[in-house]
C-alpha cells in the first residue's frame, strides 16, 4: 500500500559526508512527520532526526550540528545530510514516515534500511 525506499548509504572515512534519501510512494494522501532512525547490533533503534516542517525539526544530541534533515513535500521525500561523520555513526539507518493513506488509514511506515559505515 505504501513503500519507503532508502538510498545513499555506504562506506566513508571519518570526517566525511553522506546524504541519505528516502522516497515514499503508494496510496498516499498526506505525510505528517518523517524521520531517520538508526540501529546497531544488540541495541535498540534510536531516533536520529525528525521533521514535520522546515521550522519543526529535532535531532539526537549526538548528531546536532553535524546532520541536517530536510524534506521535499512535492516528491514525498526526506533527506539526511550527514557531515563530519564519526565511527560511532556506523549503523543501519531507517526511514520512517507517518502517512495518511488515500483510504484515510494512518500508518507508521518503515523503509528497509541502508548501511552506513564510517571507517578508515
Amino acid at each position: 500500500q505504501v513503500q519507503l525506499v532508502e538510498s545513499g548509504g555506504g562506506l566513508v572515512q571519518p570526517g566525511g559526508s553522506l546524504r541519505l534519501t528516502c522516497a515514499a510512494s503508494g496510496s498516499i494522501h498526506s505525510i505528517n512527520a518523517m524521520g531517520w532512525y538508526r540501529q546497531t547490533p544488540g541495541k535498540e533503534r534510536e531516533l536520529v532526526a525528525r521533521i514535520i516542517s522546515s521550522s519543526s525539526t529535532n535531532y539526537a544530541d549526538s548528531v546536532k550540528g553535524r546532520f541536517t534533515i530536510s524534506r521535499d513535500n512535492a516528491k514525498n521525500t526526506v533527506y539526511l545530510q550527514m557531515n563530519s561523520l564519526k565511527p560511532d555513526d556506523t549503523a543501519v539507518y531507517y526511514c520512517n514516515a507517518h502517512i495518511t493513506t488515500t483510504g484515510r488509514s494512518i500508518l507508521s511506515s518503515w523503509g528497509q534500511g541502508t548501511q552506513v559505515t564510517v571507517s578508515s
Side-chain angles (χ1 to χ4, degrees), residues 32-109:
N32 188 8
M34 303 185 81
W36 290 94
Y37 292 72
R38 66 187 181 188
Q39 189 170 23
T40 55
K43 294 189 177 181
E44 292 189 357
R45 194 171 295 186
E46 63 174 4
L47 174 69
V48 176
R50 186 170 178 263
I51 182 168
I52 296 177
S53 67
S54 58
S55 59
S56 179
T57 59
N58 59 288
Y59 296 89
D61 288 343
S62 60
V63 307
K64 283 180 181 176
R66 300 187 298 121
F67 291 10
T68 302
I69 191 170
S70 60
R71 63 189 286 178
D72 184 335
N73 292 329
K75 296 181 179 179
N76 290 332
T77 298
V78 63
Y79 307 95
L80 185 68
Q81 178 65 44
M82 305 186 294
N83 298 329
S84 302
L85 281 161
K86 305 175 181 180
D88 283 350
D89 296 317
T90 296
V92 178
Y93 284 70
Y94 296 91
C95 174
N96 174 262
H98 288 232
I99 295 171
T100 300
T101 68
T102 53
R104 297 303 188 265
S105 297
I106 298 175
L107 306 175
S108 178
S109 296

